[in-house]
């Protein structure tokens, strides 16, 4: 690559100075493209559910449950992606993994756009959708591992929290694009048009965005050169788990409450409002778009604050806030537009204590040699168990006649994470292993 630094000994960063803006752009644009595709599925599920899946026993929630089950299946490919792509990042370099993830996501998005209906292809329709989600899950799992490592290693002294915040700034930009385009289409097209073909348009756009992300990432500079000798000099696939079991478990504890609260507030809440409070689909997407814009603005502030006061105060504030307020906030949602918007924005303020610094906290736990794979597998596994299942569990609680149980589930898991944060060593001022 023109302008790339010369190879350096294994385990050291490139000697050439890196442009902060260039590095942030390379990570952020690709990450936004990844998450645009991922979230478009959730926002549009209510439109294509009964086109791809057959209705069962006259229950209108059955197709939606099936669609969210596929959403969860995609999450369970994320640990595989985190391990495989994280290993590529540790063995071959961060940029190699970032290139692979963006191409996989673009292919998965195109496949979703081309998914046939159940009426035209029968069981082949949900099979195609499942395959597409498996590809996207593999990509997203690897994306977090590689881009988290890439961002934090690109940061200068005392700026890891700030750089870390751009993980969720770019993620939120992807969500904003997904929800904004979905909301625009919902208001321009009729319900029938959205169900017939309108829901496919955002996924076609996602495939194009992925190509742009791929092009931009070609200009990124490597943050840690891979080993150039034999395979024995490179980290093994399961080396992080084998040599750092405590750190792996710590990543799980750090992530559990945060991922459940995050996916509940940023992904599932519009659907939660629709099925529990009779909220209008289009209005729910608008409220989600506005709250996500507010959320993106908060992230750098949280990252900067953590560089000054440390990571633990923000993490504990987030977890205790949700443990106390999740139930009253979710129970206060009505069919009024302002109620959903206020609940979402209140949750975004609390969430910032976790999201703005999650990348930094995770990266500071592992040594550089196995950092990407070390983060990728336990993080993605925890997200699959608690974040990926949030929409399904929320809808299942409603169908089973216990909609009030889901808010207590969110509060309880956040309380568990608060206990982990209370004993977490402070890492903000420690030098990053390179």
């Amino acid at each position: 690559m023109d302008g790339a630094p010369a190879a350096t000994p294994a385990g050291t960063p490139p000697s050439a100075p890196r442009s902060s803006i260039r590095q942030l752009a390379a990570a952020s644009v690709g990450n936004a493209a990844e998450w645009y595709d991922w979230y478009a599925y959730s926002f549009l599920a209510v439109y294509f559910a009964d086109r791809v899946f057959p209705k069962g026993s006259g229950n209108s929630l059955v197709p939606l449950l099936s669609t969210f089950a596929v959403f969860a299946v995609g999450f369970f490919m994320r640990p595989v992606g985190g391990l495989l792509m994280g290993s590529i990042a540790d063995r071959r370099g961060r940029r190699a993994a970032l290139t692979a993830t963006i191409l996989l996501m673009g292919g998965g998005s195109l496949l979703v756009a081309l998914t046939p209906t159940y009426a035209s292809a029968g069981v082949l329709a949900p099979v195609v959708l499942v395959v597409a989600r498996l590809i996207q899950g593999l990509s997203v799992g690897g994306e977090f591992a590689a881009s988290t490592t890439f961002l934090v290693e690109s940061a200068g002294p005392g700026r890891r929290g700030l750089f870390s915040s751009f993980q969720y700034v770019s993620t939120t930009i992807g969500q904003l694009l997904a929800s904004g385009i979905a909301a625009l289409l919902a208001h321009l097209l009729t319900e029938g048009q959205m169900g017939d073909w309108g829901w496919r348009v955002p996924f076609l756009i996602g495939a194009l965005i992925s190509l742009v992300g791929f092009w931009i990432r070609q200009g990124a500079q490597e943050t840690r050169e891979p080993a150039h000798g034999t395979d024995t000099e490179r980290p093994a696939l399961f080396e992080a788990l084998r040599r750092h079991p405590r750190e792996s478990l710590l990543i799980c504890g750090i992530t559990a409450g945060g991922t459940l609260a995050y996916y509940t507030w940023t992904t599932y809440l519009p659907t939660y409002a629709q099925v529990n409070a009779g909220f209008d689909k289009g209005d729910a997407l608008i409220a989600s778009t506005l709250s996500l814009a507010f959320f993106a603005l908060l992230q750098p502030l949280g990252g900067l604050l953590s560089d000054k006061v440390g990571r633990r105060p923000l993490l504990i504030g987030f977890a205790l806030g949700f443990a106390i307020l999740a139930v009253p906030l979710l129970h206060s949602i009505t069919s009024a537009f302002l109620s959903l918007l206020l609940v979402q924005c209140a949750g975004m303020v609390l969430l910032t204590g976790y999201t703005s610094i999650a990348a930094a906290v995770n990266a500071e736990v592992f040594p550089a040699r196995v950092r990407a794979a070390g983060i990728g597998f336990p993080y993605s596994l925890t997200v699959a168990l608690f974040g990926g299942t949030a929409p399904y569990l929320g809808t299942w609680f409603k169908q089973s006649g216990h909609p009030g149980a889901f808010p207590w589930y969110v509060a309880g898991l956040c309380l568990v994470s608060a206990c982990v944060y209370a004993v977490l060593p402070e890492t903000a001022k420690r030098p990053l292993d390179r």
Side-chain angles (χ1 to χ4, degrees), residues 93-426:
R94 317 308 192 201
R95 201 183 69 166
L98 291 173
T99 299
T101 58
I102 197 69
L103 290 176
L104 283 171
M105 179 56 76
S109 185
L110 182 62
L111 193 56
V112 174
L114 299 177
T115 298
T117 64
Y118 188 86
S120 64
V123 72
L124 180 63
V127 168
V128 170
L129 188 62
V130 168
V131 171
R133 291 303 290 176
L134 291 176
I135 293 172
Q136 290 183 318
L138 185 73
S139 173
V140 170
E143 174 67 21
F144 185 87
S147 65
T148 290
T149 304
F150 181 83
L151 271 174
V152 177
E153 289 177 348
S154 295
R159 302 180 69 190
R160 295 198 301 265
L162 175 61
F163 271 55
S164 169
S165 69
F166 281 88
Q167 179 76 32
Y168 278 91
V169 169
S170 56
T171 296
T172 305
I173 289 173
Q175 287 178 272
L176 280 170
L177 286 173
S179 63
I181 291 174
L184 179 63
L185 288 170
H187 281 268
L188 291 177
L189 303 177
T190 65
E191 186 86 7
Q193 289 173 324
M194 280 297 296
D196 290 339
W197 57 269
W199 65 269
R200 300 180 186 274
V201 174
F203 294 106
L204 291 172
I205 295 174
L208 295 176
I209 294 175
S210 294
L211 290 178
V212 175
F214 170 76
W215 174 73
I216 291 177
R217 283 185 168 177
Q218 297 309 294
Q221 293 186 26
E222 186 58 71
T223 59
R224 186 174 186 272
E225 290 294 337
H228 296 285
T230 65
D231 283 347
T232 58
E233 296 175 353
R234 297 170 179 165
L237 185 62
F238 293 101
E239 182 175 323
L241 288 172
R242 189 177 66 253
R243 294 191 178 182
H244 304 278
R246 179 184 175 277
E247 288 82 357
S248 298
L249 289 174
L250 192 59
I251 293 291
C252 295
I254 291 168
T255 306
T259 189
L260 176 60
Y262 176 76
Y263 281 101
T264 297
W265 246 257
T266 66
T267 304
Y268 177 58
L269 209 56
T271 303
Y272 178 89
Q274 292 168 38
V275 300
N276 287 280
F279 211 90
D280 179 76
K281 292 178 183 177
D283 287 343
L285 288 172
I286 292 175
S288 179
T289 301
L290 293 174
S291 64
L292 284 171
F294 174 64
F295 183 61
L297 295 175
L298 292 175
Q299 300 312 296
L301 300 179
L304 283 169
L305 182 61
S306 79
D307 285 331
K308 299 295 184 182
V309 304
R311 319 293 190 217
R312 288 178 67 236
L314 272 71
L315 291 171
I316 292 172
F318 145 74
L320 290 181
F322 265 101
I324 296 169
L325 297 175
V327 174
L329 283 174
L330 290 175
H331 282 169
S332 68
I333 296 176
T334 68
S335 58
F337 179 83
L338 189 60
S339 75
L340 178 59
L341 181 61
L342 290 177
V343 167
Q344 285 195 291
C345 288
M348 298 307 189
V349 174
L350 295 175
L351 264 175
T352 297
Y354 166 77
T355 54
S356 64
I357 58 174
V361 173
N362 289 337
E364 289 162 353
V365 167
F366 279 96
R369 174 179 169 84
V370 293
R371 180 170 290 136
I375 293 171
F377 183 74
Y379 171 85
S380 296
L381 180 63
T382 308
V383 171
L385 290 173
F386 299 107
T389 58
Y392 182 86
L393 283 176
T395 307
W396 180 83
F397 277 126
K398 170 64 176 178
Q399 186 195 35
S400 62
H402 303 286
F406 183 71
W408 285 104
Y409 169 59
V410 176
L413 195 59
C414 286
L415 184 60
V416 171
S417 281
C419 297
V420 176
Y421 302 150
V423 299
L424 185 70
E426 182 57 69

